[in-house]
Amino acid sequence: MPPKIKSVAEREELRSRIMQAARLLFVERGIEAVSMREIAKKINYSATTLYHHFADKESLLQAVCDEDFLNLASSMREIMQLPDLVKRIEGLANGYARFALQNPSHYRLMFMTPRAPCDVEKTRIQRGNTEQDAYAQLKQVVHDAFVAGLFKPALTDDALIAQTLWAGIHGVCALQIALGGEDWIEWRNVNERLALMQKTLLQSMLRHVDAPM
Amino acid sequence: MPPKIKSVAEREELRSRIMQAARLLFVERGIEAVSMREIAKKINYSATTLYHHFADKESLLQAVCDEDFLNLASSMREIMQLPDLVKRIEGLANGYARFALQNPSHYRLMFMTPRAPCDVEKTRIQRGNTEQDAYAQLKQVVHDAFVAGLFKPALTDDALIAQTLWAGIHGVCALQIALGGEDWIEWRNVNERLALMQKTLLQSMLRHVDAPM
DNA sequence: ATAATTTCTTAACAGTGTTAATTTAACGAT
DNA sequence: ATCGTTAAATTAACACTGTTAAGAAATTAT
C-alpha cells in the first residue's frame, strides 16, 4: 500500500532511515551477517524498497561507511590546526586509532577487506582530498614536516614515511580488531601498544626527539 | 554409486583431495567466493560428501590454512637456528612477511578476519607451541634477546616488544593485501615499506645498531 | 473519469550452507 | 550362497541469501 507521492525531502529521509538501520545492524552483528531483508524489516519496508535507494548491498554499506569516514576526516581538521607539526602527526595517529577501535566494523570494511578496484567509483569520498580522506591528511602533514627538515636526512621519501607510519598504526588497530579477543595471545593493553608503536616510529624517524627512550 | 569400503588410508586420501581442491579454488578466487558445491564438483563428488570429512565450510578452510601455517612455522625453524639473535628477529620478520604476501587469502582468513573465540577449538595448531605457531616463535626470540640485554633499558616488557614488532610487519602486509590494488594511493614498493618498517622499529628498540640511519 | 506516474509489495530466480532420508556396494556370519 | 549390517555416497529438501520482474495501490495530470 504505497501511501502518497513523496517530496525530495521525504525521499532523502527514507534513504537515511535505511542507512541508519543498516548501520545499527551491521555494527552490532558484523557486516556479512546482516541481510537486506533484515535491514528492511527493521524499518517496516520490504527488501525491494532498499533497491530503489541503493544499487546493491555493497553500495548501501559503502554509503554508511562513507558517512562515518567523512565524519572522521572532519574531526581531524581540528587536529590539523595544531601549530606544532610533530604534535599534529601524533594527533592524527591518535585520532585515527581511536576511530578504528571505536568503529571496528566500519574500519574492517574500509581498510581490512580487499575489494575490486572499480569499487572506488561507488564511494562518495574524494580520495586525495585533504578535507575528506584521512590518509591524505597524514600525507600532507608528513610532507610539511619533511619540507621543514624534521626527519632524519637518510629518509628521502616523504610518501614512504607516511605509508610506514600508517602501516604501524594500522597494524596495531587491525590486529586488535581481528584477534583482540583471542586469549592464546597475552595481549598488552591496546593503548600501550599504540603508544609504543607511535613513540618507536617517530623516535627513529625524527631528527630531534624531546624525550628519547 | 558408492564404490567399495575404504581403508583408513583411502579415507585420508579423499580428505586431502578435498583440501587440495578447496585450496586451489579459494586461493584463486577468494575465500567467500567458493561454494561447497564447487569444491565438490572439482573432484567429482557431491557436496554432501564434504560434510562427512569436515563439520562445515569453516572447518574445511581452517584445515587448509592450518596445513600451510604449519608449513610456515616449520620453515621458520631453520631461521630460528641462526646464532645472531638480531639476525634471527630479522629473519622471522622477513619470512613472515613473505608468507603473508604469497598467501594473501590464507593470511586474510587467519589474521585479518575476526572470529568467535570458540573457533580456536576448530584449529589443529597448538597456539603458543614454538613448533607450530609463528607468533610464539617471535615471542621466544624477543624474549631471548630481552634476557640478553639487547633492548634499550626503557623497554621493560618483552611481550609488548614482540606485539609491537608483529603489529608493524602485519600493518605493512595487511595494508598491501587489502589496499595494494587501490591506485588512489601512490604505494611505494612493498619491500621498501617492509624494510623501512623493520629498520625503524629495530633501530629505536635495540640498544646497539650496526648501521644507524 | 481516464491515463500516467510514483511508491511499494509480492513472487520468483538462482544461488548458498547444511541436513534428512535413501540408495548402493561391500563385508562378516550363518 | 544368502542374510543382515555397515560404510560411502547420493538425491531431495530446508531455510536462507542478494537481486529482479511483474503487479498493485495511491497520487497527480489531462
Side-chain angles (χ1 to χ4, degrees):
Chain A
M1 337 91 187
K4 60 171 183 176
I5 200 162
K6 288 194 166 177
S7 69
V8 177
E10 283 171 316
R11 245 193 85 81
E12 291 218 335
E13 209 231 288
L14 177 51
R15 188 187 148 95
S16 97
R17 281 220 299 148
I18 294 171
M19 288 173 63
Q20 195 180 327
R23 176 183 289 112
L24 273 172
L25 275 175
F26 96 85
V27 159
E28 89 180 17
R29 288 224 298 276
I31 297 163
E32 43 273 313
V34 313
S35 71
M36 295 297 264
R37 285 172 173 84
E38 279 178 303
I39 298 170
K41 183 173 265 178
K42 197 117 198 161
I43 52 172
N44 286 317
Y45 279 91
S46 79
T48 326
T49 297
L50 307 198
Y51 287 87
H52 294 138
H53 294 263
F54 300 94
D56 50 22
K57 186 183 183 182
E58 202 184 300
S59 296
L60 167 54
L61 298 185
Q62 190 79 254
V64 170
C65 288
D66 279 6
E67 220 168 59
D68 294 292
F69 270 84
L70 285 174
N71 261 336
L72 166 66
S74 147
S75 83
M76 292 287 210
R77 271 186 300 211
E78 230 177 293
I79 295 162
M80 291 288 275
Q81 304 305 320
L82 290 173
D84 186 324
L85 276 169
V86 174
K87 289 229 185 312
R88 225 185 281 172
I89 293 179
E90 291 171 345
L92 279 187
N94 287 330
Y96 182 87
R98 203 173 59 238
F99 178 86
L101 297 177
Q102 276 173 358
N103 306 275
S105 292
H106 295 63
Y107 192 80
R108 203 159 82 76
L109 181 61
M110 302 296 278
F111 292 135
M112 297 168 66
T113 311
R115 269 189 302 286
C118 62
D119 285 357
V120 174
E121 286 159 28
K122 280 187 179 175
T123 184
R124 257 167 59 215
I125 294 186
Q126 292 167 19
R127 308 294 171 135
N129 181 338
T130 316
E131 306 284 300
Q132 301 187 0
D133 171 7
Y135 169 63
Q137 291 173 322
L138 176 65
K139 205 173 120 186
Q140 178 68 54
V141 177
V142 169
H143 177 75
D144 291 347
F146 183 77
V147 168
L150 297 187
F151 290 108
K152 290 191 179 164
L155 299 171
T156 57
D157 182 348
D158 56 336
L160 183 58
I161 297 172
Q163 286 166 20
T164 302
L165 286 173
W166 184 18
I169 304 298
H170 170 78
V172 176
C173 296
L175 277 187
Q176 174 64 21
I177 290 171
L179 304 178
E182 309 271 322
D183 47 6
W184 52 274
I185 307 165
E186 290 155 356
W187 285 119
R188 293 302 177 254
N189 182 286
V190 66
N191 290 313
E192 276 184 65
R193 274 143 57 204
L194 277 168
L196 180 58
M197 175 64 78
Q198 188 176 302
K199 204 171 155 190
T200 303
L201 288 177
L202 286 181
Q203 165 146 316
S204 68
M205 285 181 159
L206 289 175
R207 195 193 285 263
H208 302 296
V209 171
D210 282 348
M213 295 200 291
Chain B
M1 338 89 189
K4 57 170 186 177
I5 200 162
K6 288 192 167 179
S7 69
V8 176
E10 283 170 315
R11 245 193 85 81
E12 292 217 334
E13 207 230 290
L14 177 51
R15 188 188 148 95
S16 98
R17 282 219 300 148
I18 294 171
M19 288 174 62
Q20 194 180 327
R23 176 183 289 112
L24 273 173
L25 276 176
F26 97 85
V27 159
E28 89 180 17
R29 288 224 298 276
I31 298 164
E32 43 272 314
V34 313
S35 70
M36 295 297 265
R37 286 172 173 86
E38 280 178 301
I39 299 171
K41 182 171 267 177
K42 197 115 198 162
I43 52 172
N44 287 317
Y45 278 92
S46 80
T48 327
T49 298
L50 308 198
Y51 288 88
H52 294 138
H53 294 263
F54 300 94
D56 50 22
K57 186 183 182 181
E58 201 184 299
S59 296
L60 167 54
L61 299 186
Q62 190 80 253
V64 170
C65 289
D66 279 6
E67 218 169 61
D68 295 291
F69 270 85
L70 285 174
N71 260 335
L72 166 67
S74 147
S75 83
M76 291 289 210
R77 271 186 299 212
E78 231 177 294
I79 294 162
M80 292 285 277
Q81 304 305 320
L82 290 173
D84 186 325
L85 276 170
V86 174
K87 289 231 184 312
R88 224 185 281 172
I89 293 178
E90 291 170 344
L92 278 189
N94 288 330
Y96 183 86
R98 203 173 61 237
F99 179 85
L101 297 177
Q102 276 172 358
N103 305 273
S105 292
H106 295 64
Y107 193 79
R108 203 158 82 76
L109 180 63
M110 302 295 277
F111 292 135
M112 297 168 66
T113 310
R115 272 188 301 285
C118 62
D119 285 356
V120 174
E121 288 160 26
K122 282 188 177 172
T123 185
R124 256 166 61 213
I125 294 186
Q126 292 167 18
R127 308 293 173 138
N129 180 339
T130 316
E131 306 284 302
Q132 301 188 1
D133 172 6
Y135 169 63
Q137 291 174 322
L138 176 66
K139 205 172 120 185
Q140 178 68 52
V141 176
V142 168
H143 176 75
D144 292 347
F146 182 77
V147 169
L150 298 188
F151 290 108
K152 290 192 178 163
L155 299 171
T156 56
D157 182 348
D158 57 338
L160 183 59
I161 297 173
Q163 286 166 20
T164 301
L165 286 174
W166 184 19
I169 303 299
H170 170 79
V172 176
C173 296
L175 277 187
Q176 173 65 22
I177 290 171
L179 304 178
E182 308 271 322
D183 46 5
W184 53 274
I185 308 165
E186 290 155 356
W187 285 118
R188 293 301 178 255
N189 182 285
V190 65
N191 289 313
E192 277 184 64
R193 276 143 56 204
L194 277 168
L196 180 58
M197 176 64 78
Q198 189 175 303
K199 205 170 156 191
T200 303
L201 288 177
L202 286 181
Q203 165 146 315
S204 68
M205 285 180 159
L206 290 175
R207 195 195 286 263
H208 302 297
V209 172
D210 283 348
M213 293 201 292

